[in-house]
Amino acid sequence: MKEALRKKYLKVILVLVLVFAALFISRLLYGNFSNTDTTHQNNVTHTGDTSGFVADVALRKNYATEKVLNNNGPSIVQSDQKYEKIADIISYTTFFDQKEKVLRNEIEKYQGLVQFENKFGNEGHRTLRLIVGVPPKNFDSIYQSLIQVGHTVSKQVTKNDKTNEYRELNAKRETLEKVKNALMELKSKGGTINDFIQLENRILEIEQELQMLGVNLGNFDTENEFCTVKIVLNEKNQIPLSQFDKIYSALGWTLTVYLKLLAILSLLMFLAHLTITSIQKLNNK
């Protein structure tokens, strides 16, 4: 009886040892043949911030239009909502040239327009920053595509309503047009040279303001609608591991997984024991 029990324990121990060895060897082989080292890469500080683009102020603002249904008493009125939609993506890669090419191909595929580009750093530590205007219909598709390029560490989409701003710009333009017309009428009535010069200066100021308003309103033009995608792609060097480091890393991973498996197995055996005991008690009654 004792001999049979001893053999049973030896078989259990042998199975546990073989499982541990199989996990350890598979992880070690994965570490040797894998092109990336997750242990080292996860400890790398990822830099880049899409909010820090210096050229943002000088860029054309990207806006789009969306049809909105509003309840207006007994009737439903359809109106245009002007909005700004911005995606921010920060990622890194050890294959910088390859991923940069993929980025540009995806931008071209979805009819994107590169509005700002900044590439800097020595090889192994390069950073590419892009601001891309994308047709609204392609925004979701290009966003889902670009977050797959490289290892994305940060992503977000922001949508801001710009309808009131658009209406205010239009109202301001109408007011300036009325003021300009009134001044032109005064100019035709004659007066002193000083009055004439002051009128000319004021008309010139209003025309400059109208030009600026025209530029701002042009950003809302439905023929040139875009949403914005900001991309930061950082290059990270792949740090080669020594054989000792690979063995140590594989051993740590194996211990963690092995203990979790044992815990799950023990829990399942305990639950099975409780179930069998409960069934036997019910049958005895």
Side-chain angles (χ1 to χ4, degrees):
M1 183 68 180
K2 290 184 178 180
E3 183 65 21
L5 190 61
R6 188 176 70 84
K7 287 183 178 180
K8 187 179 292 186
Y9 279 127
L10 285 176
K11 286 182 180 179
V12 172
I13 292 172
L14 180 61
V15 170
L16 293 176
V17 169
L18 288 175
V19 170
F20 183 88
L23 287 172
F24 175 73
I25 291 171
S26 62
R27 181 62 183 181
L28 187 60
L29 290 174
Y30 173 80
N32 284 329
F33 292 106
S34 175
N35 288 328
T36 58
D37 174 50
T38 54
T39 303
H40 279 64
Q41 286 179 341
N42 287 339
N43 292 330
V44 176
T45 301
H46 308 294
T47 59
D49 181 3
T50 58
S51 65
F53 285 117
V54 178
D56 273 85
V57 178
L59 287 174
R60 174 192 185 277
K61 297 295 182 180
N62 293 324
Y63 301 117
T65 306
E66 187 175 53
K67 298 293 183 181
V68 179
L69 297 177
N70 299 316
N71 290 325
N72 187 13
S75 62
I76 298 177
V77 179
Q78 181 175 275
S79 61
D80 290 339
Q81 179 199 25
K82 299 292 184 179
Y83 67 91
E84 179 184 45
K85 199 170 186 180
I86 302 172
D88 297 276
I89 303 170
I90 300 175
S91 58
Y92 75 93
T93 180
T94 55
F95 307 101
F96 188 82
D97 293 321
Q98 175 186 337
K99 297 302 181 182
E100 180 185 356
K101 185 176 180 180
V102 173
L103 276 178
R104 296 187 186 279
N105 287 339
E106 291 301 303
I107 291 169
E108 183 178 354
K109 175 182 175 182
Y110 291 104
Q111 302 173 316
L113 175 66
V114 177
Q115 298 173 325
F116 170 80
E117 179 176 340
N118 178 218
K119 185 177 178 181
F120 59 92
N122 296 325
E123 187 171 350
H125 303 280
R126 289 172 289 180
T127 295
L128 174 66
R129 293 180 174 182
L130 296 173
I131 297 180
V132 182
V134 183
K137 64 180 181 179
N138 295 336
F139 179 84
D140 292 334
S141 299
I142 195 173
Y143 174 73
Q144 292 300 326
S145 178
L146 293 182
I147 61 177
Q148 304 299 323
V149 180
H151 301 269
T152 299
V153 295
S154 175
K155 59 181 181 178
Q156 70 172 0
V157 175
T158 306
K159 183 177 180 181
N160 298 314
D161 182 31
K162 294 292 182 177
T163 308
N164 288 337
E165 181 178 326
Y166 175 70
R167 290 171 179 170
E168 288 172 1
L169 288 173
N170 272 317
K172 186 175 181 180
R173 181 172 65 176
E174 290 178 6
T175 301
L176 287 175
E177 289 284 2
K178 290 178 181 178
V179 173
K180 178 185 174 183
N181 292 334
L183 292 175
M184 293 296 289
E185 288 182 8
L186 286 175
K187 180 181 173 182
S188 63
K189 293 180 179 180
T192 64
I193 295 178
N194 287 335
D195 291 337
F196 182 79
I197 292 174
Q198 288 179 2
L199 282 173
E200 280 290 340
N201 289 336
R202 181 54 185 150
I203 291 171
L204 180 60
E205 289 175 1
I206 291 175
E207 287 178 345
Q208 290 174 344
E209 290 184 54
L210 285 170
Q211 287 178 359
M212 290 299 300
L213 282 172
V215 172
N216 291 331
L217 284 168
N219 293 333
F220 289 96
D221 191 348
T222 55
E223 294 182 0
N224 301 309
E225 288 189 335
F226 283 115
C227 293
T228 304
V229 179
K230 296 181 180 181
I231 309 159
V232 175
L233 180 66
N234 295 304
E235 181 181 23
K236 298 300 176 188
N237 272 329
Q238 182 178 337
I239 304 174
L241 290 177
S242 66
Q243 197 61 34
F244 175 79
D245 288 332
K246 291 179 180 179
I247 293 172
Y248 182 79
S249 175
L251 185 61
W253 179 87
T254 304
L255 282 171
T256 302
V257 174
Y258 186 71
L259 290 175
K260 288 180 180 179
L261 288 175
L262 285 180
I264 293 171
L265 183 61
S266 300
L267 179 61
L268 291 175
M269 291 178 66
F270 176 71
L271 292 175
H273 175 72
L274 284 179
T275 304
I276 293 171
T277 304
S278 300
I279 292 173
Q280 288 177 345
K281 286 182 179 180
L282 290 173
N283 290 333
N284 291 334
K285 289 182 179 180

